[in-house]
């Protein structure tokens, strides 16, 4: 889209008081780049030379596109700041794909662990792909990881039982893969499981304001997950541990976001059993506690989140236990909507009626299909 056509679409302010309000805010620096954004602006030329374009906001000498106009800055793409200092979105020039670029310290284990896992070709590998690793042009202790642009796994929210089952299939499979290769993630949480959601948004979405179009002129709505190839990935290996084959998997110290009972700064604990608990806790928080019709997950969650780590299953045992549960589930359950625990009774009656009607349509189509 050209800048001219984008300009025509921007809402025009007519209230002089509002126009002056935004003009004053702009003059006073309300929309200026933050300190964390200046880091990326300083690297804009370097990234451009490497084939990655940052958004116009990060161009050297950037001036707000709405300055001295009556355009509403809320509808100007270059008014949108970064949410996270470590990661910025960019466009790969070679194929116009949106990527994520993350700054990481070369002193931590994140870079070698992420590169090691990404180097393994295995359909069970659900760790984030590393497209390229760039040395930072200014700080020799930093690296810039170029990765696919991913979206939070629960945005948009899960809609059907089948969505949940697919998520659990992939996250257990990915955990088995990591543990087979002697890597404990140690920070499994909903924030660290993301998805390639391109199939849900065929026309794209803004990389920061996820519910808006690329030019932030309109809202975007996702397609259903069902029947689409949604792939989930573990990210962020800043707390991870990689062990030599056959060596002890006992560690000490804290982990990331997850609460795990046995964490200690002095008493060693099994890093793999921490992953088991954290993933079971994720299933509990995201599914069992949110929805009324995910009770089939309870035995799995109970097993994974036992207080005593020695009673928890291994990743392979979790996989086998889940396979056993999965075989008991009727195919029609996959299409059934998730029922929120906080859904008002009247809404539930209406939504269940609609769901039953759609299931009837599905069965009829299957019956009459040649």
């Amino acid at each position: 889209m050209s800048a001219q056509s984008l300009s025509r679409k921007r809402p025009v302010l007519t209230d002089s008081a509002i126009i002056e309000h935004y003009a004053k805010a702009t003059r006073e620096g309300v929309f200026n780049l933050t300190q964390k954004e200046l880091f990326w602006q300083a690297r804009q030329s370097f990234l451009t030379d490497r084939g990655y374009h940052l958004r116009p906001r990060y161009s050297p000498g950037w001036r707000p596109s709405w300055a001295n106009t009556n355009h509403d800055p809320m509808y100007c793409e270059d008014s949108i700041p970064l949410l996270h200092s470590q990661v910025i979105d960019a466009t790969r020039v070679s194929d116009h794909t949106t990527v994520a670029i993350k700054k990481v310290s070369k002193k931590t284990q994140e870079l070698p662990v992420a590169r090691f896992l990404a180097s393994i070709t295995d359909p069970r590998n659900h760790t984030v792909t590393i497209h390229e690793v760039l040395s930072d042009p200014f700080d020799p202790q930093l690296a810039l990881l170029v990765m696919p642009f991913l979206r939070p796994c629960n945005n948009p929210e899960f809609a059907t039982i089948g969505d949940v089952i697919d998520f659990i299939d992939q996250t257990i499979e990915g955990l088995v893969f990591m543990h087979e290769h002697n890597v404990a993630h140690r920070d499994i949480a909903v924030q660290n499981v993301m998805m390639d959601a391109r199939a849900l948004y065929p026309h794209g979405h803004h990389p920061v304001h996820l519910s808006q179009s690329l030019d932030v002129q309109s809202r975007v709505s996702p397609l259903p997950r069902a029947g689409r190839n949604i792939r989930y990935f573990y990210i962020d290996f800043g707390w991870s541990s990689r062990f030599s084959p056959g060596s002890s998997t006992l560690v000490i110290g804290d982990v990331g976001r997850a609460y795990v009972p046995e964490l200690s700064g002095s008493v060693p604990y099994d890093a793999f059993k921490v992953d088991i608990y954290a993933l079971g806790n994720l299933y509990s928080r995201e599914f069992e506690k949110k929805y009324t019709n995910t009770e089939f997950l309870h035995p799995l969650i109970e097993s994974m989140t036992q207080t005593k780590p020695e009673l928890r299953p291994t990743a392979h045992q979790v996989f086998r236990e889940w396979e056993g549960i999965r075989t008991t589930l009727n195919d029609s359950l996959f299409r059934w909507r998730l029922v929120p625990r906080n859904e008002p009774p009247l809404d539930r009656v209406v939504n269940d009626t609609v769901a039953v009607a759609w299931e009837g349509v599905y069965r009829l189509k299957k019956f009459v299909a040649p």
Side-chain angles (χ1 to χ4, degrees), residues 257-269:
R257 297 172 175 84
Y259 162 77
V260 182
E262 65 266 25
L263 296 187
S264 171
S266 58
V267 180
Y269 56 87

Side-chain angles (χ1 to χ4, degrees), residues 8 18 30 58 119 127 201 238 332 363:
R8 284 199 301 267
I18 296 177
V30 171
Y58 305 104
S119 71
T127 61
Y201 297 89
S332 64
R363 290 177 179 273

Side-chain angles (χ1 to χ4, degrees), residues 202-219:
H203 301 294
H205 59 78
H206 193 272
V208 177
H209 287 187
L210 301 181
S211 62
Q212 292 185 293
S213 59
L214 288 165
D215 59 10
V216 300
Q217 302 306 302
S218 59
R219 294 187 66 81

